[in-house]
Amino acid sequence: MKKIEAIIRKSEFDETKKALHTIGVTFFSYWDVTGVGNEKEGHVYRGVSYSTADIQRRYLSIVVTDSFMEKTVDTLLKTAYTGKVGDGKIFVSTIDEAYRIRTKEKGSESLK
């Protein structure tokens, strides 16, 4: 199993969530996060300069079977992309085991 962690723009979340459901990702967790990125310059809005050092993003945590990892990552890359600085990051790590508490299923069965 693989754990996919993605940090994406909040503005791309709804489209990304729909696309994940469309390909069969039936469960994932997400929360709002603040981070510091590579963007160094500030922005001016209505004559007021403000810093973009602290960036609001959405953090997704998705666990899938090994065979479904590539399709999930491809979907994230496609839907979260704007081509601008700050599109986010995707991290993939290995999950040794997973359990469903209610049924006591383990492994990939716990993900269904």
Side-chain angles (χ1 to χ4, degrees), residues 84-99:
K84 299 176 185 169
V85 172
D87 275 350
K89 301 273 193 252
I90 299 172
F91 307 99
V92 179
S93 56
T94 300
I95 297 293
D96 293 329
E97 194 59 85
Y99 297 87

Side-chain angles (χ1 to χ4, degrees), residues 43-94:
H43 291 282
V44 177
Y45 180 72
R46 294 186 177 181
V48 177
S49 179
Y50 64 95
S51 171
T52 56
D54 297 323
I55 303 168
Q56 298 293 313
R57 294 290 181 258
R58 190 140 294 159
Y59 185 98
L60 288 70
S61 177
I62 309 163
V63 178
V64 296
T65 60
D66 290 350
S67 61
F68 205 64
M69 185 269 303
E70 190 171 333
K71 187 173 188 175
T72 305
V73 170
D74 287 345
T75 299
L76 289 166
L77 288 169
K78 180 180 172 186
T79 57
Y81 174 81
T82 68
K84 299 176 185 169
V85 172
D87 275 350
K89 301 273 193 252
I90 299 172
F91 307 99
V92 179
S93 56
T94 300

Side-chain angles (χ1 to χ4, degrees), residues 7-41:
I7 302 167
I8 66 171
R9 294 176 182 274
K10 283 184 170 184
S11 60
E12 304 304 314
F13 176 71
D14 288 335
E15 181 183 346
T16 301
K17 180 173 75 171
K18 288 176 190 173
L20 288 170
H21 285 301
T22 298
I23 65 165
V25 175
T26 57
F27 175 81
F28 64 89
S29 299
Y30 66 91
W31 50 96
D32 292 335
V33 295
T34 302
V36 178
N38 289 331
E39 192 170 2
K40 303 292 186 228
E41 58 191 56

